[in-house]
Amino acid sequence: MADDRDIKIYVQKSTNETTEFRSLTDEIQLHISNGNRDKAIALGEKAAKVRPEDNAVDLSGFNMTSAVLYQIRALITFVADYRMQKKIANEFLADTAVSAIYDYLKANESGYYSNISDGGAFTFYLLALNKGGDVAENIGEQFSKLCNINWPEIADLGKRIFIQASEYFDKMIDEAAFEEV
């Protein structure tokens, strides 16, 4: 008997799939040609450069160890990613901005990128987002745990960082002034 395991059957794509794909590629081309993609890349790179000492969030009243400063930076980076995905309505532009964050970090701060790319802290923050209840409070609790300091003041600091960094990145996104498509 003949071996027919390598026979392929061609199934024509539906007209809807083809039309949807064309529409999507046309929209992406519009974002490229009108400068939105370049704005998203610049936005992501700008967000990647935000550090605790940049006054994006109020850290007054705390003497920070380097370990806590690292956790603050990781939380700020997480919030940048989260707000880009949440606030930028177009998925292509949101993904482009987020990719630019990590591309910048990979190219310019490879040690920091390696540390955050293991996903540990980000996983805890993602779980906090999905926990229900007060999201900022949940993030603050996770921040306290990641700092290994179970003080209410540290949880409040994490909550404050989440809120203020969200506002900071939302403003940054608004200032990017993406063109309507």
Side-chain angles (χ1 to χ4, degrees):
M1 182 146 196
D3 186 9
D4 59 0
R5 288 180 290 179
D6 62 346
I7 294 175
K8 306 269 190 256
I9 299 174
Y10 174 74
V11 177
Q12 185 175 2
K13 290 184 178 179
S14 73
T15 307
N16 287 344
E17 287 177 342
T18 305
T19 304
E20 186 178 319
F21 180 74
R22 267 201 198 111
S23 175
L24 183 60
T25 56
D26 289 347
E27 183 179 330
I28 289 171
Q29 284 303 318
L30 283 172
H31 285 298
I32 292 169
S33 64
N34 73 6
N36 278 350
R37 183 189 64 171
D38 291 338
K39 288 178 183 180
I41 291 169
L43 174 64
E45 289 175 354
K46 185 177 176 182
K49 295 175 185 178
V50 176
R51 291 181 163 58
E53 58 272 13
D54 293 339
N55 297 320
V57 295
D58 178 17
L59 301 174
S60 60
F62 287 93
N63 290 326
M64 305 293 174
T65 65
S66 59
V68 171
L69 284 171
Y70 169 79
Q71 290 300 331
I72 291 170
R73 174 101 191 270
L75 178 52
I76 288 171
T77 303
F78 173 81
V79 173
D81 179 323
Y82 171 67
R83 295 311 303 160
M84 301 290 164
Q85 293 290 348
K86 203 78 166 153
K87 186 162 173 66
I88 299 174
N90 181 275
E91 186 177 353
F92 169 71
L93 295 178
D95 290 346
T96 299
V98 170
S99 292
I101 291 171
Y102 298 112
D103 289 347
Y104 176 86
L105 293 174
K106 195 183 313 181
N108 298 288
E109 299 182 47
S110 59
Y112 175 68
Y113 173 79
S114 294
N115 286 339
I116 63 167
S117 66
D118 74 6
F122 283 25
T123 300
F124 287 109
Y125 290 136
L126 284 171
L127 291 171
L129 289 175
N130 297 321
K131 183 178 178 182
D134 186 331
V135 171
E137 224 166 274
N138 297 341
I139 293 287
E141 290 171 10
Q142 290 305 318
F143 175 78
S144 175
K145 290 176 185 174
L146 289 164
C147 289
N148 290 319
I149 306 172
N150 291 320
W151 298 347
E153 297 85 7
I154 298 299
D156 287 342
L157 174 64
K159 176 181 178 177
R160 194 170 73 220
I161 291 167
F162 178 77
I163 292 168
Q164 291 176 4
S166 293
E167 292 168 354
Y168 184 83
F169 290 117
D170 285 357
K171 183 178 178 198
M172 192 182 286
I173 292 164
D174 290 341
E175 289 171 353
F178 292 113
E179 300 292 324
E180 289 293 322
V181 175

